[in-house]
């Protein structure tokens, strides 16, 4: 019982007794709750625990972005507030190779499961990326997202803590979104934020020239790449 509880608490330091007990039952242990609770109390686990998980070592991530569609998507969160003071968050997703904004999810809370559902929706029309580049936020290191990436053969590229320059493409995008949308309007509700953002995304992808792409919009650049790739394939055939 001690070993089983230690293993659970090591992985999930914020879980209480009943979460631990139910998890032990799911693992096939048949101990009754009274016995487990006695051991739980004897180990001092009923006392407040403030243990923080140590992040694994993150190798330095080179800022590579080959001009290939769906090679690397970058993810990042932003936050802002409505006129009433209510906070909200945005999940921004960018195709680094063509600098095209794939989606901006807006809500008061965006947990790991919501991140996965958003990626699945994008893949239905965009295809599966080779890798995801992102920081070490709690939603992005969640086991839900890690498991999904393993199942779909998507590489996780976590930047080093405190090194946002390793995710510079989306950081630059965030600055533009902040300047042209979040800092430009006083929002009364989330639907207003979503509506304005949706219109701005179309403008950003279809009309706004991008200097690093030869002064054409991202979607134009993507279509040019796809046309060149198709022509190359037809010639080789």
């Amino acid at each position: 019982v001690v070993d089983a509880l230690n293993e659970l608490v090591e992985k999930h330091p914020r879980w209480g007794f009943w979460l631990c007990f139910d998890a032990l039952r799911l693992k096939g242990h048949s101990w009754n709750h009274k016995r487990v609770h006695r051991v739980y109390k004897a180990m001092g686990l009923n006392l407040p625990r403030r243990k923080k998980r140590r992040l694994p070592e993150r190798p330095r991530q080179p800022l590579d972005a080959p001009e290939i569609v769906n090679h690397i998507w970058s993810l990042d969160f932003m936050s802002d507030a409505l006129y009433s003071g209510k906070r909200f968050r945005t999940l921004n997703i960018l195709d680094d190779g063509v600098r095209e904004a794939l989606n901006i999810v807006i809500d008061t809370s965006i947990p790991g499961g919501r991140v996965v559902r958003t990626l699945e929706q994008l893949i239905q029309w965009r295809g599966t990326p080779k890798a995801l580049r992102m920081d070490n936020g709690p939603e992005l290191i969640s086991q839900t997202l890690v498991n999904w990436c393993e199942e779909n053969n998507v590489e996780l590229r976590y930047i080093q803590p405190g090194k946002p320059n390793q995710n510079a493409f989306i950081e630059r995008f965030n600055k533009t979104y902040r300047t042209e949308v979040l800092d430009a309007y006083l929002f009364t509700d989330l639907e207003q934020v979503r509506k304005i953002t949706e219109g701005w995304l179309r403008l950003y992808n279809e009309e706004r020239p991008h200097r690093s792409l030869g002064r054409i919009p991202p979607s134009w650049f993507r279509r040019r790449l796809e046309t060149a790739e198709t022509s190359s394939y037809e010639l080789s055939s």
Side-chain angles (χ1 to χ4, degrees):
V1 177
V2 169
D3 291 341
L5 284 172
N6 275 330
E7 183 182 350
L8 272 178
V9 172
E10 182 66 27
K11 290 182 180 178
H12 312 288
R14 304 303 297 170
W15 281 15
F17 168 74
W18 285 108
L19 270 177
C20 290
F21 178 74
D22 291 340
L24 292 177
R25 280 298 178 89
L26 290 175
K27 289 176 177 290
H29 299 298
S30 58
W31 307 308
N32 67 48
H33 71 278
K34 293 181 180 179
R35 179 183 180 188
V36 176
H37 193 252
R38 280 199 304 271
V39 178
Y40 184 87
K41 288 176 62 178
M43 294 170 65
L45 298 178
N46 57 319
L47 303 175
R49 301 193 300 275
R50 298 189 180 276
K51 181 180 178 181
K52 293 185 178 181
R53 282 194 294 176
R54 184 183 297 275
L55 287 173
E57 289 294 325
R58 303 297 194 196
R60 186 180 184 279
Q61 291 293 340
L63 193 61
D64 60 323
E67 294 178 356
I68 303 173
V69 180
N70 287 343
H71 187 71
I72 300 176
W73 292 358
S74 57
L75 286 71
D76 201 15
F77 283 92
M78 298 178 69
S79 64
D80 208 287
L82 302 176
Y83 183 65
S84 64
K86 184 178 182 180
R87 304 294 299 179
F88 65 87
R89 307 190 74 198
T90 77
L91 168 63
N92 304 346
I93 305 177
L94 190 77
D95 186 332
D96 286 1
V98 294
R99 309 297 198 278
E100 190 171 13
L102 304 182
N103 200 359
I104 296 180
V105 179
I106 298 164
D107 217 324
T108 52
S109 176
I110 308 174
R114 179 77 177 277
V115 175
V116 166
R117 290 195 299 275
T118 300
L119 292 172
E120 289 176 340
Q121 291 167 0
L122 287 175
I123 286 172
Q124 288 179 5
W125 64 271
R126 185 76 178 198
T128 305
K130 177 184 176 183
L132 300 178
R133 177 164 30 218
M134 49 201 174
D135 62 22
N136 298 273
E139 302 89 352
L140 301 178
I141 63 172
S142 70
Q143 198 61 43
T144 302
L145 179 58
V146 171
N147 291 343
W148 181 87
C149 287
E150 290 178 355
E151 293 167 1
N152 290 274
N153 296 316
V154 177
E155 178 188 350
L156 284 166
R157 297 188 181 182
Y158 289 109
I159 65 173
Q160 294 174 313
K163 301 288 184 179
N165 57 302
Q166 294 178 11
N167 204 6
F169 297 126
I170 201 164
E171 291 290 343
R172 183 64 184 83
F173 172 81
N174 290 350
K175 180 180 178 182
T176 303
Y177 177 53
R178 172 75 66 187
T179 301
E180 298 186 6
V181 178
L182 297 182
D183 287 351
Y185 299 92
L186 290 175
F187 302 107
T188 56
D189 55 50
L190 291 182
E191 283 306 311
Q192 189 179 50
V193 186
R194 294 182 183 118
K195 183 176 180 180
I196 292 175
T197 296
E198 183 181 349
W200 179 83
L201 270 179
R202 284 195 297 269
L203 184 148
Y204 181 88
N205 287 328
E206 297 286 347
E207 300 179 28
R208 191 181 191 277
H210 202 296
R211 287 190 177 184
S212 67
L213 304 178
R215 300 178 186 275
I216 62 174
S219 64
W220 292 28
F221 185 76
R222 171 177 53 80
R223 288 193 287 267
R224 179 183 293 179
L225 286 180
E226 291 171 339
T227 300
E229 187 176 295
T230 301
S231 300
S232 175
Y233 175 79
E234 289 175 350
L235 287 174
S236 64
S237 299

